Amino acid sequence: MPSISRDEVAHLARLARLSVTEAELDLFADQLDHIVQAVAQVGQVADQDIPPTSHAVPLTNVFRRDLVRPGLTQQQALAAAPAAEDGRFRVPRILGEEA
Amino acid sequence: MTDLIRLTAAEIAAKIQAKEVSAVEVARAHLDRIDAVEPAVHAFLHIDGDRALQAAKAVDEDVAAGRPAASPLAGVPLALKDVLTMRGAPTTCGSKMLEGWEPPYDATVTLRLLEAGLVILGKTNMDEFAMGSSTENSAYGPTRNPWDLDRIPGGSGGGSAAALAAFEAPLAIGTDTGGSIRQPGSVTGTVGVKPTYGTVSRYGLVAFSSSLDQAGPCARTVLDAALLHEVIAGHDPLDSTSIDAPVPPVVAAAREGANADLKGLRVGVVTELAGEGYQPGVLAAFEAAVAQLRELGAEIVEVSCPSFDLALPAYYLIAPSECSSNLARFDAMRYGLRVGDDATRSAEEVMSLTREAGFGAEVKRRIMLGTYALSSGYYDAYYGSAQKVRTLIKRDFDAAFGQVDVLVSPTTPTTAFGIGERTDDPIAMYRADLCTIPSSMAGNAALSIPCGLSACDGLPVGLQIMSPALQDHRGYRVAAAYETARDAAQGGPLITRVPELEVAH
């Protein structure tokens, strides 16, 4: 039976960029454990030779004609930005202290 | 004037063209109704009366000038689910992450609605990023079911379904990933249709699970749903999974079906979608509907689809996996919420703080579940297996549709449950999607039509009709014939039995 520990939830939260609280770690560890146990039954087909389906309708690559069409203006693109400066997105520093 | 809100969309459109009523009067009647009942129902997150009246005025000017109607639904008010972008209005997806976000572009569905002369009243409430079966996961508070205000209206499209049942709008748009159109339709006594995957553009539909998400029509009658279906469906080069094929003739099927019997039609009852966990009142109403189909001349056979038992667990691996990838875009950099940007924290810290503050519990659960299922070491056992199950479900459908024309089941195992009843038990919540998920996983067409009230609690029950991919019109034909027979047997449309809401003064 699979089981998800509190440490594992903390690891998943880090991977998913969610700074969860201590209380959430307890709650989610319990809930995710139950959910994973409930969905684990799909594993019964794991060793069967069945082709996977990723999309309901088979996909083929499509090309469009290489035509110029209008995109967003700089002003439109920046209109919803949390912070903008000099016509650009202003973001927090991207390097950590140790860098 | 209050009668205007009880009309069908087809009737409203006809009266506008016949100059019996103006589109502005119709819009006003619905805006007045919204004012009166919204405090109790809370179906909308955003209402723009001025814009609606302007759109209605444009339709009236067309009529006055003798110009042909933009579509068979010109001038009809509509409620748009808040997961589809529309310029000049916020798109929040029921999330704090996108509070107040005004998208710089229209979804293809929105554009088609506007071009068809529909009058968009506002944006409807939903579970956050369409994850949920009750609309309780909205960051802006739950929507209430007009049949019983202490109960949920289904989800994720509870706002769209409740707007119809509360007579705030005759038409609405929903989106269905695992049942988010059909299940709310079922528990509110309204019609909800999930078209074949790829037949309605996803451009401008904020993605939850891209291989499953599909927009569709919500209405109070089968014909109204079909008319709306033809407005929004069709190939779109802006959606890479859009099918370049003619729209199935759903309006013709709805019109013909309404006056026809079902002789020669073979209907399959799915063995696996009944039994333990189903409310007796739901099963009784479903069986009565099947008896009605038999009276209409259909041949009823039982069909087993054994892999449907694995559909729910496979869905709760595939959808969270795709969601964990899709929602990575909410990174606090270019739009949406940003928290903790104090000039000392790094982008990564700001990102983690923002996502923690901006997402609700269910969204976080699914992101982490998806992250887990896609992790190396678990991939084969979970995500890989779920994709194999998807193949098995498709094979079951193919085999079934080799024997029968359509499949039927209850839309959801129970009637509307109480607000708060399942919020602490995610697995109980997920079971609401038990019957709707197989068609989501296979991508075929499925709809829900009200089939009666449960003897247990007097609340609406839905009949689900599933059709093969691109054969959407089959479901409409069966639903229209059933609707006529049901109304005759039950003494009028089911929706007229919804209790009068206390209106605000």
Side-chain angles (χ1 to χ4, degrees):
Chain A
M1 264 322 218
S3 79
I4 295 192
S5 66
R6 202 173 181 278
D7 286 349
E8 218 163 348
V9 175
H11 177 62
L12 292 173
R14 261 194 310 280
L15 290 176
R17 304 292 184 270
L18 291 166
S19 56
V20 291
T21 63
E22 291 295 311
E24 278 180 315
L25 282 180
D26 291 327
L27 177 73
F28 289 147
D30 183 53
Q31 289 177 335
L32 288 175
D33 198 46
H34 278 97
I35 296 169
V36 168
Q37 291 195 27
V39 298
Q41 49 179 308
V42 299
Q44 66 186 252
V45 302
D47 54 0
Q48 291 179 34
D49 185 21
I50 303 163
T53 296
S54 67
H55 270 75
V57 177
L59 292 181
T60 46
N61 199 9
V62 275
F63 292 94
R64 63 167 171 81
R65 291 182 64 198
D66 190 16
L67 296 174
V68 177
R69 61 184 183 97
L72 299 179
T73 63
Q74 186 187 49
Q75 202 185 2
Q76 284 174 319
L78 290 172
E85 208 173 284
D86 300 332
R88 299 176 193 138
F89 294 100
R90 189 187 67 70
V91 299
R93 65 182 171 80
I94 55 168
L95 297 176
E97 293 295 337
E98 66 277 15
Chain B
M1 277 299 103
T2 52
D3 281 338
L4 289 176
I5 62 167
R6 312 270 163 183
L7 297 176
T8 69
E11 288 165 348
I12 289 172
K15 282 181 187 291
I16 290 170
Q17 291 305 317
K19 299 186 192 176
E20 284 174 40
V21 66
S22 72
V24 166
E25 286 171 304
V26 171
R28 278 227 173 85
H30 285 91
L31 290 167
D32 288 349
R33 175 69 175 178
I34 288 172
D35 271 350
V37 302
E38 264 302 275
V41 178
H42 189 231
F44 287 87
L45 293 177
H46 173 79
I47 297 155
D48 192 340
D50 291 341
R51 183 170 168 169
L53 290 169
Q54 248 176 12
K57 193 161 162 265
V59 172
D60 286 336
E61 284 165 4
D62 280 349
V63 175
R67 286 189 286 269
S71 80
L73 292 173
V76 179
L78 176 137
L80 184 64
K81 190 177 179 183
D82 201 26
V83 69
L84 287 149
T85 60
M86 177 165 85
R87 270 186 292 184
T91 295
T92 71
C93 301
S95 181
K96 290 286 178 201
M97 186 61 88
L98 286 177
E99 188 165 18
W101 178 59
E102 289 205 8
Y105 67 108
D106 284 325
T108 297
V109 166
T110 306
L111 208 57
R112 290 192 179 175
L113 294 169
L114 295 172
E115 284 170 355
L118 279 117
V119 174
I120 299 178
L121 299 169
K123 310 286 296 284
T124 54
N125 198 12
M126 56 186 282
D127 284 301
E128 185 175 10
F129 289 107
M131 297 174 206
S133 305
S134 69
T135 316
E136 290 166 293
N137 294 333
S138 168
Y140 305 99
T143 296
R144 291 168 182 276
N145 190 327
W147 289 82
D148 178 345
L149 295 173
D150 292 328
R151 292 180 189 255
I152 58 100
S156 66
S160 288
L164 299 174
F167 297 97
E168 294 176 279
L171 294 174
I173 294 291
T175 62
D176 193 310
T177 303
S180 289
I181 291 176
R182 291 163 284 164
Q183 183 256 4
S186 178
V187 300
T188 58
T190 58
V191 177
V193 180
K194 183 195 88 71
T196 297
Y197 178 84
T199 57
V200 178
S201 171
R202 289 185 298 109
Y203 180 74
L205 193 181
V206 180
F208 154 24
S209 183
S210 308
S211 79
L212 301 164
D213 297 341
Q214 189 63 193
C218 312
R220 291 191 294 258
T221 71
V222 174
L223 177 62
D224 284 358
L227 290 165
L228 183 56
H229 191 135
E230 287 199 359
V231 167
I232 59 172
H235 180 241
D236 180 11
L238 296 176
D239 172 0
S240 63
T241 56
S242 175
I243 298 175
D244 193 359
V247 178
V250 294
V251 171
R255 289 194 197 280
E256 286 159 20
N259 302 307
D261 59 31
L262 295 175
K263 285 199 180 71
L265 184 91
R266 287 172 67 91
V267 174
V269 176
V270 182
T271 316
E272 284 74 12
L273 301 180
E276 204 188 327
Y278 287 73
Q279 190 200 90
V282 167
L283 290 177
F286 170 69
E287 278 152 23
V290 171
Q292 194 102 60
L293 295 176
R294 188 181 285 118
E295 270 177 50
L296 281 163
E299 186 188 339
I300 312 291
V301 294
E302 192 169 315
V303 178
S304 176
C305 297
S307 62
F308 283 15
D309 287 341
L310 288 175
L312 186 77
Y315 173 87
Y316 277 99
L317 287 163
I318 288 173
S321 295
E322 294 187 12
C323 126
S324 71
S325 167
N326 273 324
L327 271 61
R329 74 189 52 172
F330 299 105
D331 59 7
M333 297 300 135
R334 290 155 301 166
Y335 60 97
L337 187 69
R338 179 183 289 183
V339 168
D341 182 11
D342 63 358
T344 69
R345 289 196 179 95
S346 69
E348 194 167 318
E349 288 169 312
V350 168
M351 201 182 293
S352 297
L353 287 168
T354 301
R355 289 163 63 81
E356 169 64 14
F359 291 141
E362 180 62 19
V363 172
K364 289 178 195 169
R365 268 194 293 273
R366 294 207 197 184
I367 288 174
M368 287 193 283
L369 184 60
T371 305
Y372 178 78
L374 293 173
S375 305
S376 64
Y378 295 118
Y379 183 92
D380 287 342
Y382 295 123
Y383 189 71
S385 296
Q387 286 192 313
K388 289 181 178 181
V389 168
R390 206 163 172 183
T391 305
L392 296 177
I393 292 165
K394 284 189 75 161
R395 286 178 183 169
D396 275 0
F397 269 118
D398 289 344
F401 288 131
Q403 300 172 54
V404 299
D405 299 299
V406 295
L407 292 167
V408 295
S409 75
T411 304
T412 180
T414 68
T415 54
F417 45 90
I419 288 177
E421 204 176 301
R422 299 190 189 176
T423 38
D424 296 330
D425 188 350
I427 295 173
M429 189 70 88
Y430 297 169
R431 283 198 198 104
D433 303 332
L434 200 59
C435 312
T436 45
I437 279 174
S439 282
S440 300
M441 297 284 269
N444 56 26
L447 61 83
S448 177
I449 176 171
C451 69
L453 301 181
S454 164
C456 300
D457 49 25
L459 292 167
V461 177
L463 167 70
Q464 180 177 226
I465 305 171
M466 295 167 271
S467 309
L470 296 174
Q471 298 291 311
D472 302 53
H473 45 296
R474 280 192 207 174
Y476 277 99
R477 180 189 158 212
V478 177
Y482 170 72
E483 184 179 55
T484 303
R486 179 203 68 196
D487 290 355
Q490 298 182 0
L494 185 96
I495 193 67
T496 58
R497 284 186 269 163
V498 66
E500 279 296 322
L501 290 166
E502 296 254 348
V503 298
H505 296 289

